[in-house]
Amino acid sequence: MAVERFPVEASHILMFARSIGDSNPIYSDATHASDTEVGSIIAPPTFAQASAQFDPDYFLRPKDGQKWFGSGGTASGTLSQNEDKADSKSDDKKSGSSAGGLHAEQHFTYHRHLKPGDVLSAENKPGESWEKESKRAGVLKFSESITEYRDQNGELVVTARSVGVVTEKVIEQ
Amino acid sequence: MGLKADGLSIGDSYSEVIVEDLTRTQIVQYAGASGDYNPVHSDEKFVTEVAGYPTVFAHGMLTMGMTGRMLTNYVGDGRLTYYGVRFVNQVWPGDTLTARAEVSEVREENGQTLIDLAISTTNQDEKFVLTGNATARVD
């Protein structure tokens, strides 16, 4: 994702660490952290993904004045009442793409670990795209994107590679 | 504190239960912290009636984040140089997940000792939900 300004803040790291069930004090306790090898609070390894919070166009966050595709009075805010009823439990399982696809792979290369006070920018480059046939989900369309996170000094700190997949059929276990 | 290279052998492994009986609330917590509010993760009406899934499911990145806790508990804070995964099956509310790392290589690069790890996370049915690799600096 492309983000102009992603300020890394201690309270955000705390909330993120809580959400993944990680009570390691390196993510919340500055006094503890100052006595460790890393020397300060750092962010958990997958934290760069929370740059979504600072992407003004991120499509998986409801935005003021725009219809949201999740449910309100109807099952989806972007379908009319009629469509909503008609397509409920319809014959064919819908494409997983109704939710914008699924996350297939995620890779992070750490040049250094993020810490409170960093102000990052993220630049996005499209990668490869390919298709695969699957018994469980039909035709799978994969696409890759590379995000480079740089700090306030322009140094590359994290490189992320993400692969998304759009499935022909809904995947159930 | 990192791991010590001289005490490590290929095939050494470490595992942790990273979540027991995953709750919908934790999935919502992750949505809020990460900023990914895709309704497939929290909106029962949307996910069953529009997207066509049996119920809400966890963000792949939540499973990757929880698996990352196992990794940093094993290799130490700030030691990872690479962490990458594939999401191979969905994670549902009620799942209990175990994450495991196995040393696949101990090597030297630019004067540093690194270990490569093969990672997997399985659910209560011993089905893989995540597979991947990581590299960490060791002492």
Side-chain angles (χ1 to χ4, degrees), chain A residues 26-120:
Chain A
I26 199 71
Y27 304 133
S28 58
D29 182 341
T31 312
H32 161 85
S34 66
D35 290 334
T36 65
E37 181 185 75
V38 288
S40 74
I41 287 176
I42 55 170
T46 60
F47 182 77
Q49 195 75 3
S51 61
Q53 301 276 17
F54 300 93
D55 176 353
D57 302 320
Y58 189 59
F59 75 111
L60 294 174
R61 176 182 66 243
K63 291 177 203 70
D64 188 24
Q66 290 177 29
K67 282 198 168 183
W68 175 240
F69 68 103
S71 71
T74 61
S76 172
T78 54
L79 296 174
S80 73
Q81 290 269 350
N82 288 343
E83 278 177 292
D84 188 35
K85 277 180 193 141
D87 79 40
S88 241
K89 304 277 176 202
S90 63
D91 33 317
D92 284 316
K93 286 282 189 187
K94 284 204 188 49
S95 165
S97 67
S98 57
L102 296 171
H103 201 171
E105 292 180 38
Q106 182 69 38
H107 305 261
F108 295 106
T109 300
Y110 307 101
H111 309 287
R112 74 163 169 83
H113 289 269
L114 305 177
K115 54 180 194 295
D118 281 336
V119 181
L120 308 180

Side-chain angles (χ1 to χ4, degrees), chain A residues 12 15-16 18-24 26-27 32 37-38 42 45-46 49-53 58 60-62 68-76 79 84 87-89 93-96 98-110 113 132 136 167 170-173, chain B residues 1-2 18 26-27 29-40 43-54 57 60-62 64-66 68-73 77-92 95 123 127-129 135 137 139:
Chain A
H12 191 192
M15 288 190 284
F16 189 90
R18 278 184 182 159
S19 79
I20 57 171
D22 196 335
S23 55
N24 185 338
I26 199 71
Y27 304 133
H32 161 85
E37 181 185 75
V38 288
I42 55 170
T46 60
Q49 195 75 3
S51 61
Q53 301 276 17
Y58 189 59
L60 294 174
R61 176 182 66 243
W68 175 240
F69 68 103
S71 71
T74 61
S76 172
L79 296 174
D84 188 35
D87 79 40
S88 241
K89 304 277 176 202
K93 286 282 189 187
K94 284 204 188 49
S95 165
S98 57
L102 296 171
H103 201 171
E105 292 180 38
Q106 182 69 38
H107 305 261
F108 295 106
T109 300
Y110 307 101
H113 289 269
K132 221 167 97 177
R136 195 162 60 127
T167 62
V170 160
I171 304 172
E172 283 185 56
Q173 289 188 319
Chain B
M1 281 282 288
I18 52 168
Q26 187 173 354
I27 298 173
Q29 231 183 328
Y30 185 78
S34 69
D36 178 348
Y37 295 97
N38 190 331
V40 298
D43 184 337
E44 190 72 16
K45 194 170 169 70
F46 174 86
V47 79
T48 56
E49 296 179 22
V50 181
Y53 290 92
F57 52 93
M61 289 307 296
L62 172 54
M64 186 179 188
M66 294 189 296
R69 182 185 73 184
M70 175 281 296
L71 271 180
T72 51
N73 285 349
D77 300 325
R79 291 299 188 116
L80 289 173
T81 60
Y82 166 76
Y83 175 29
V85 304
R86 279 172 185 233
F87 304 107
V88 294
N89 270 300
Q90 274 155 311
V91 171
W92 305 97
D95 280 358
N123 67 16
K127 193 168 184 172
F128 289 102
V129 294
T135 302
R137 285 185 299 110
D139 291 328

